């Protein structure tokens, strides 16, 4: 069953802010803010009061033991600020990407003190088993740091491991990283936020008491997943079609430096950025097939033309697209002229892609949206988000990727 779509244009009740003194009796409502304390120490942590017994530190928190397979429920906490481990919630699709707890060299993949990676390994394995196997998977509750200071958190939803469109390899993968020349592995996992906006306090208490997870007020979406591995994702399509300049560029120093590294690498030979733009598009659209760079045109521009695959591998169709790339400075927007050129070149193709290291002028976005042109606009922030999701999180790793993938002539 498809998930419910939320329309932000409809009137909605204000999201509550729950005071620190009320945490122990509060339900968990999607996107509600749960206030931290004011003591200035770990006792200010709201999650340990919201869900007794899960502790007040770390990204993985749980009641029970992963080593003994007795976890009753689990909490995933993300600060959203670790550039090397870019946890990410895609609110449009309900997909949450989370990195394991082996985040530095010196121990094995499953050797972390909190055993978070052991928990990931076991629940993803059980998720592909029988209904009885999935009944051993603890419900996961997702919290995100709210604001730059303090310990307040947002509740982001009830999670089930995996997703309706992912392969088992995509759902949980052991990836390599290196720090100071030392290589190590960590997990990258994908969960689905289930379509349920309020977790009742009685179910939480029932779980903590060791009760049957399918009893005690269990949400229907969790029961459906356990019994048939059917995902009902909480999908919230974005209704804001026009992004500001700030929304289209990285909002942190590391991301800004990574984007500037790309610009500098192609300085004086900006047309060579087109091959890089194709590689970035492949990170965003994984089913992209063969892509060819065409010869430079009279106006100095050059298209890439390619195909995107739809359908299962045994019966896949390929739709054509044209891609253009603009390696611009952050102060130079992509305007109507550049987009009009692409529009004229997709007459015989299904859609177009325009990738830029800068941003798109408001008028461009309005015309593409209002006239219904099938064009994907990929801005500087989108580039950095794609690279981070692929594990390129520093200037050094971006430079290394550029030098290896697009060597200078």
């Amino acid at each position: 069953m498809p998930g419910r779509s939320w329309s932000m244009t409809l009137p909605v009740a204000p999201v509550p802010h729950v005071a620190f003194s009320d945490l122990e009796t509060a339900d968990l409502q999607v996107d509600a803010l749960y206030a931290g304390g004011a003591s200035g120490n770990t006792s200010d942590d709201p999650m340990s009061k919201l869900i007794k017994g899960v502790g007040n530190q770390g990204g993985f928190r749980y009641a029970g033991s992963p080593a003994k397979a007795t976890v009753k429920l689990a909490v995933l906490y993300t600060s959203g600020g670790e550039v090397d481990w870019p946890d990410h919630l895609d609110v449009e699709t309900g997909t949450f990407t989370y990195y394991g707890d082996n985040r530095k060299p010196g121990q094995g993949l499953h050797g972390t003190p909190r055993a978070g990676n052991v928990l990931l390994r076991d629940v993803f394995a059980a998720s592909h088993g029988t209904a009885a196997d999935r009944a051993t998977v603890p419900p996961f509750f997702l919290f995100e740091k709210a604001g730059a200071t303090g310990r307040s958190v947002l509740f982001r939803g009830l999670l089930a491991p995996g997703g309706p469109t992912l392969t088992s390899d995509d759902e949980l993968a052991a990836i390599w990283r290196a720090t100071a020349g030392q290589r190590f592995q960590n997990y990258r996992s994908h969960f689905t936020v289930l379509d349920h906006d309020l977790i009742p306090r009685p179910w939480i208490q029932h779980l903590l008491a060791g009760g049957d997870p399918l009893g005690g007020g269990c949400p229907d979406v969790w029961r459906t997943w356990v019994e048939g591995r059917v995902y009902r994702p909480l999908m919230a399509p974005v209704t804001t079609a026009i992004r500001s300049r700030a929304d289209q560029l990285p909002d942190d120093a590391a991301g800004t430096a990574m984007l500037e590294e790309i610009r500098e690498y192609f300085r004086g030979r900006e047309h060579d950025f087109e091959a890089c733009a194709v590689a970035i598009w492949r990170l965003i659209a994984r089913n992209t097939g063969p892509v060819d760079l065409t010869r430079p045109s009279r106006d100095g521009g050059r298209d890439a033309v390619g195909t995107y695959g739809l359908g299962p591998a045994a019966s896949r169709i390929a739709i054509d697209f044209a891609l253009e790339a603009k390696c611009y400075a952050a102060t130079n927007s992509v305007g109507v002229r550049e987009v009009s050129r692409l529009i004229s070149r997709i007459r015989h193709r299904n859609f177009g892609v325009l990738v830029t290291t800068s941003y798109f002028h408001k008028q461009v976005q309005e015309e593409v949206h209002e006239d219904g042109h099938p064009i994907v606009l990929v801005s500087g922030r989108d580039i950095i988000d794609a690279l981070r999701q692929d594990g390129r999180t520093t200037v050094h790793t971006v430079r290394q990727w550029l030098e290896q993938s697009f060597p200078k002539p």
Side-chain angles (χ1 to χ4, degrees):
M1 178 183 295
R4 180 180 68 230
S5 296
W6 287 3
S7 174
M8 300 303 288
T9 60
L10 296 177
V12 294
V15 175
H17 290 201
V18 181
F20 188 70
S21 59
D22 297 331
L23 295 179
E24 294 184 8
T25 58
D27 298 325
L28 299 181
Q29 182 171 336
V30 168
D31 291 344
L33 185 144
Y34 296 87
S39 300
N41 54 45
T42 56
S43 67
D44 294 339
D45 179 74
M47 286 178 287
S48 60
K49 295 188 178 297
L50 276 168
I51 305 177
K52 290 285 188 180
V54 299
N56 57 15
Q57 295 184 29
F60 284 93
R61 309 183 188 191
Y62 43 77
S65 168
K68 298 179 181 178
T70 59
V71 176
K72 304 168 186 175
L73 60 79
V75 168
L76 295 185
Y77 170 72
T78 178
S79 68
E82 293 193 57
V83 295
D84 288 337
W85 308 104
D87 302 333
H88 176 69
L89 173 61
D90 186 334
V91 296
E92 291 195 67
T93 64
T95 301
F96 177 57
T97 303
Y98 193 71
Y99 290 83
D101 59 354
N102 192 37
R103 301 190 172 193
K104 59 184 180 181
Q107 54 198 2
L109 177 62
H110 303 117
T112 55
R114 289 290 295 165
N117 281 358
V118 171
L119 182 61
L120 290 179
R121 178 196 65 192
D122 293 346
V123 299
F124 276 87
S127 75
H128 287 276
T130 65
D133 294 324
R134 284 188 294 278
T136 68
V137 174
F140 282 77
F141 301 109
L142 172 60
F143 289 89
E144 182 178 10
K145 181 178 175 61
T149 60
R151 290 180 176 266
S152 297
V153 297
L154 296 170
F155 176 61
R156 303 295 264 160
L158 170 64
L159 301 175
T165 63
L166 301 172
T167 68
S168 58
D169 289 341
D170 291 331
E171 290 178 346
L172 183 68
I175 58 175
W176 286 96
R177 292 291 183 268
T179 297
Q182 291 184 279
R183 291 172 292 184
F184 61 101
Q185 282 185 299
N186 194 17
Y187 277 133
R188 180 176 59 213
S189 62
H190 291 99
F191 289 80
T192 295
V193 181
L194 298 179
D195 185 7
H196 196 77
D197 61 351
L198 189 140
I199 306 299
R201 171 60 50 179
W203 191 47
I204 297 173
Q205 297 302 116
H206 177 77
L207 293 170
L208 291 172
D212 177 6
L214 300 186
C218 170
D220 287 342
V221 289
W222 184 257
R223 183 188 308 277
T224 299
W225 181 80
V226 170
E227 293 178 347
R229 203 173 185 270
V230 174
Y231 293 88
R232 290 161 54 184
L234 175 55
M235 297 187 291
V238 175
T239 59
T240 303
I242 309 303
R243 294 192 289 175
S244 67
R245 177 181 182 274
D247 289 337
Q248 297 181 71
L249 294 171
D251 61 355
D252 63 289
T256 300
M258 290 163 61
L259 195 57
E260 185 59 29
E261 181 69 22
I262 296 174
R263 296 191 194 102
E264 284 297 321
Y265 188 79
F266 292 104
R267 183 178 295 277
R269 51 189 190 94
E270 282 75 11
H271 293 318
D272 291 343
F273 172 67
E274 285 141 349
C276 179
V278 170
I280 290 165
W281 173 243
R282 287 189 184 279
L283 296 179
I284 297 171
R286 300 282 180 172
N287 283 348
T288 298
V291 178
D292 294 320
L293 293 175
T294 61
R295 292 179 300 174
S297 61
R298 291 181 180 178
D299 63 4
R302 185 169 66 174
D303 285 319
V305 294
T307 60
Y308 183 81
L310 294 175
S315 182
R316 182 163 294 179
I317 62 172
I319 60 175
D320 295 330
F321 70 89
L323 180 147
E324 285 201 18
K326 302 298 177 184
C327 190
Y328 286 174
T331 55
N332 186 8
S333 69
V334 174
V336 173
R337 180 178 62 85
E338 293 95 330
V339 177
S340 296
R341 178 179 182 275
L342 178 58
I343 291 172
S344 70
R345 296 192 175 198
I346 61 171
R347 292 172 182 166
H348 304 296
R349 296 189 169 86
N350 297 97
F351 67 98
V353 180
L354 209 164
V355 182
T356 182
T357 53
S358 63
Y359 66 101
F360 296 93
H361 193 276
K362 178 182 177 182
Q363 184 180 355
V364 167
Q365 299 179 70
E366 290 174 340
E367 291 190 7
V368 168
H369 177 67
E370 292 172 3
D371 294 341
H373 294 299
I375 294 178
V376 181
L377 302 177
V378 180
S379 70
R381 177 178 289 196
D382 301 323
I383 291 173
I384 298 306
D385 287 345
L387 289 172
R388 282 174 167 167
Q389 289 298 307
D390 195 50
R392 316 285 177 178
T393 60
T394 66
V395 170
H396 173 73
T397 56
V398 169
R399 183 186 306 118
Q400 185 181 53
W401 174 67
L402 293 170
E403 290 173 348
Q404 292 175 348
S405 303
F406 317 104
K408 294 181 179 180

